[in-house]
Amino acid sequence: MKLIPSFSVDHTAIVPGIFTSRVDTVGDNVITTYDIRVTRPNREPAVDVAAMHSLEHIIATYLRNDPEWKDQVIYWGPMGCLTGFYLILKGNRAPKEIHGLLLNAFRSVDDAQTVPGTTPENCGHYLMHNLGMAKWYAAKFADYLEENGDNPFIFEYPKTKRLVTDDGQQFFDS
């Protein structure tokens, strides 16, 4: 089976940041999936599950209500490894172009008094939220984005190097 592109990213070298994961054309539309990496995989603990769930709700609500961006947002959700989120937008912008949007989205978490959509009717696990921890993670990541906005490494994926044999087999150089 062919290795999917997101597994070609060197997860031992990636830093928190905003990365283009993939660009797809669907009909006449271009959509871009961004990797919003909040922690360093395999080096920092994963984001607390309840905090990640709260961040998903708060930031999804923010993005879908932002006057400039709401019509561009297709999806916001957590990565299975709990080290970040995927953001899918219409169009194809460089990661640096959405830096301000994400900085504002993560800063908005501090203003949240409650987590939106946390009733049994609105959420599949409505009791699994932690607003306090969500605020902590959001502030930490927003500070990082602000401090590193001019650092190209937070916008460019490190790629895993592969050794390819004469018969085409690929091996990861880890």
Side-chain angles (χ1 to χ4, degrees), residues 7-78:
F7 294 149
S8 70
V9 177
D10 185 347
H11 284 72
T12 65
I14 197 168
V15 297
I18 304 165
F19 309 99
T20 299
S21 179
R22 60 184 290 157
V23 178
D24 295 292
T25 302
V26 180
D28 294 333
N29 300 306
V30 174
I31 60 171
T32 304
T33 303
Y34 298 93
D35 172 336
I36 313 306
R37 196 64 63 145
V38 175
T39 65
R40 290 186 70 181
N42 305 309
R43 296 183 190 265
E44 293 180 89
V47 175
D48 172 78
V49 175
M52 184 69 116
H53 192 198
S54 296
L55 287 168
E56 175 194 11
H57 278 234
I58 296 166
I59 293 175
T61 301
Y62 176 88
L63 293 172
R64 290 190 176 102
N65 282 282
D66 182 275
E68 182 181 345
W69 290 92
K70 67 182 180 182
D71 294 331
Q72 305 306 308
V73 176
I74 295 171
Y75 174 80
W76 169 263

Side-chain angles (χ1 to χ4, degrees), residues 79-90:
M79 295 178 175
C81 62
L82 301 176
T83 62
F85 296 88
Y86 288 113
L87 171 62
I88 302 175
L89 296 175
K90 294 176 186 174

Side-chain angles (χ1 to χ4, degrees), residues 160-174:
T160 300
K161 294 183 174 98
R162 294 193 195 118
L163 303 173
V164 180
T165 64
D166 289 339
D167 63 353
Q169 289 187 344
Q170 295 185 14
F171 295 90
F172 288 99
D173 179 15
S174 54

